[in-house]
Structures are given as structure tokens and as C-alpha cells.
Amino acid sequence: MSEISKEEWNKLFASHWNFAGARQDGHIAMFPEELPARLIKMFSFVGETVFDPFMGSGTTALAARNLNRNSIGYEINKDFRQYYEQKVISNSIFSHNTYNIREDADSYNINGLIDNLPYFFRDPLKMNNKVDVKTLQFGSKIDRSSGKREELYSVKHVLSPNLLELSSGLIVKLLGVEPNPAKAEQATIYLQNKTKGHKVYMRFDEVKYDSQNQLLCYLYLENRTFLNAHILKEKLAIADTSIPYKYRNKFINY
Ligand SMILES: C[S@@+](CC[C@H](N)C(=O)[O-])C[C@H]1O[C@@H](n2cnc3c(N)ncnc32)[C@H](O)[C@@H]1O
């Protein structure tokens, strides 16, 4: 009952997730149901109990119920009870679901209850930090003073026809661009000249890493010159046909 298909597993365990946010009612910073739903599918089985220590409107409880898990939530602000009641209880479709709201948290012996759990989940895998958050943030950061959406960098080194080191120390690979060994030197010089003295910004596709964990991006000059496209139009490199990406057909045509 807890089985996840291979396709869904790949989506869940991908390093970046894309989904819409939740509309905010009542100023409690609600997250969309999709967020706890994914984590619940990833780390629990049907019938188990999910705990949310900061329950707010109860989105986690809702996701847990909809995935046939039990849940427990703590919420310090009694005013939020109404949101939980509205979101989770009044919305209940199965008569076998039961809800129990208690306002006697102080009387619980939490440590004793934890000690009696059937098992503890300890993740044997170390987190693999693909990017240093100080060097890169996905998505656009809006600088309200300038109205610009992009984070601008300069290019420190052109390492190869598709590999550049940015001023932040981040090394990026031009998505869709494969070096043509016969033109590698010319292509590197072309990129050096194009980027010299200019700021660049990145855009990302669904595919964010290649098989060597190298960050893939579309790189633009501040004046919107699309470097991935330009280097291909100049026939200094060849289009990558090994993976799908948004501009694949366009790049192949170049
Ligand atoms: C960001 S909200 C969570 C919103 C929730 N994810 C949702 O979708 O509705 C964080 C909640 O934690 C609650 N909170 C903060 N400190 C707490 C504490 N010590 N114990 C229980 N709840 C707490 C806040 O009142 C707030 O409702």
C-alpha cells in the first residue's frame, strides 16, 4: 500500500522540487499539501504516525490523512484550532477517521512515549550537498531597488568550451553545449572575450546536473545575450543530444 512507482521515486528523491505555493489565509505561512505529502511518502509507511511539531493550519495532518497515515501535531497558538478544524476535520470524507484535539500538552511524558516507539529512523546516508548555498540560490532573488530579478556574477575563468567558473567560486556547465575538440581553443577564447568585463546571470532547466554532478545552466550576459546559443550558432561547439532540455531542438538546428 505504501509502494511508490519508479517514476515517482525519481521525482521524490530529485535534488530540487517544483510545485506551487499555498494561498495564505490567516497569516500562518501555510505550505502546500504537496510538500508534506512528498516527505510522508518518502519516509513513512501506510498506518504509521507522522509528527509535526509546528502544525499551524494542519497541512501535514491533512497530507498524512490523505495518505492513510496517522498524525500528531503541536500548535502553540490556540487560535489556529479553527484552521485545523476547517482544513482537516470538516473536510473529512471517511467516517473511520477520528480526530482528537487536546489542550493538556503539559501532562504528556514525551520522552517516555518516544522511548516506547517501535523503532527509530536513522538515515545511514550522509547528505550530499551538491551546491554551497552561499554560492548559489535557485530561483530568482528580486532586488527591489533595481527591479532586476537576476543575481549577477562575473566570469572568473573559462575552463573549457562549456565550463566556467563564476566570481562566487561556483563552476557551471553550459547546458546543451558539448565541446568540439577541433575548436576547443577557439571556443574558450570566444567565451573569454564575450564575458570579459560583463556581468552574467544563470537560468536553469528541469535537468540541473549532468552525470558527473556538474551544475547545468543557461548563461546570459546582462544584456540578455544567450551564451549557450551563441557558441553553437558560431559553430564553435556542438549541441548535446544525450539528455532532454528545453532548447534541445533549437540547439540542434544551430
Ligand atoms: C509556519 S507555521 C506552520 C504552518 C504549517 N506548515 C501550515 O501549512 O499551516 C509554524 C507554526 O508553529 C507554531 N509554533 C511556534 N512555536 C511553537 C511551539 N513551541 N510549539 C508548538 N507550536 C509552535 C506557530 O504558532 C505557527 O503556527
Side-chain angles (χ1 to χ4, degrees):
M1 282 191 294
S2 314
E3 194 172 329
I4 333 182
S5 69
K6 199 173 172 192
E7 292 72 39
E8 191 168 21
W9 196 95
N10 285 335
K11 185 181 84 175
L12 295 178
F13 286 88
S15 55
H16 295 93
W17 286 347
N18 290 298
F19 45 78
R23 201 157 64 87
Q24 301 300 315
D25 299 323
H27 309 287
I28 38 180
M30 286 186 282
F31 45 48
E33 188 183 343
E34 181 73 9
L35 177 60
R38 288 189 183 201
L39 293 163
I40 289 167
K41 280 190 212 165
M42 290 164 78
F43 298 114
S44 74
F45 297 111
V46 162
E48 290 192 324
T49 301
V50 176
F51 172 55
D52 181 356
F54 306 104
M55 194 167 69
S57 65
T59 314
T60 304
L62 179 72
R65 188 199 66 198
N66 290 342
L67 292 167
N68 295 314
R69 273 74 163 173
N70 304 303
S71 73
I72 298 171
Y74 287 174
E75 176 48 57
I76 206 167
N77 187 338
K78 289 183 183 169
D79 294 343
F80 291 169
R81 180 178 174 152
Q82 54 171 314
Y83 296 109
Y84 171 75
E85 287 177 336
Q86 190 190 342
K87 185 176 208 164
V88 188
I89 304 184
S90 62
N91 193 346
S92 191
I93 38 174
F94 298 114
S95 55
H96 65 256
N97 290 137
T98 54
Y99 303 91
N100 184 4
I101 301 182
R102 301 180 60 155
E103 294 188 357
D104 58 352
D106 295 344
S107 66
Y108 284 100
N109 172 7
I110 276 294
N111 290 333
L113 291 170
I114 289 174
D115 287 343
N116 284 327
L117 286 175
Y119 71 85
F120 296 96
F121 177 77
R122 289 199 181 86
D123 196 339
L125 297 175
K126 277 220 157 39
M127 281 279 268
N128 173 12
N129 293 332
K130 288 189 172 174
V131 287
D132 176 354
V133 289
K134 292 193 200 95
T135 59
L136 174 75
Q137 291 184 328
F138 281 110
S140 47
K141 246 179 44 181
I142 301 173
D143 173 356
R144 296 193 189 283
S145 57
S146 70
K148 287 204 181 86
R149 291 183 72 88
E150 274 78 31
E151 181 112 24
L152 297 174
Y153 301 87
S154 49
V155 173
K156 214 194 271 180
H157 297 295
V158 179
L159 304 168
S160 77
N162 62 357
L163 223 50
L164 296 96
E165 183 179 349
L166 304 183
S167 46
S168 63
L170 185 71
I171 295 179
V172 294
K173 186 169 172 182
L174 301 183
L175 176 52
V177 177
E178 279 300 313
N180 171 356
K183 304 232 169 126
E185 199 184 328
Q186 216 184 323
T188 306
I189 294 169
Y190 174 83
L191 283 177
Q192 281 165 348
N193 290 338
K194 275 273 175 203
T195 55
K196 202 173 182 177
H198 291 284
K199 293 277 184 210
V200 294
Y201 64 89
M202 291 177 278
R203 286 272 167 84
F204 300 95
D205 206 314
E206 294 271 301
V207 48
K208 292 203 171 61
Y209 295 94
D210 69 2
S211 53
Q212 269 94 49
N213 256 348
Q214 189 66 60
L215 179 65
L216 298 166
C217 77
Y218 298 120
L219 199 67
Y220 297 82
L221 296 181
E222 199 175 6
N223 68 9
R224 296 182 189 276
T225 302
F226 188 8
L227 292 170
N228 307 47
H230 273 247
I231 194 161
L232 293 170
K233 276 189 201 165
E234 294 290 331
K235 309 212 183 313
L236 294 172
I238 42 188
D240 182 3
T241 52
S242 68
I243 50 165
Y245 51 96
K246 189 176 164 196
Y247 299 112
R248 194 169 183 269
N249 288 341
K250 219 178 197 179
F251 283 9
I252 291 171
N253 285 337
Y254 294 151

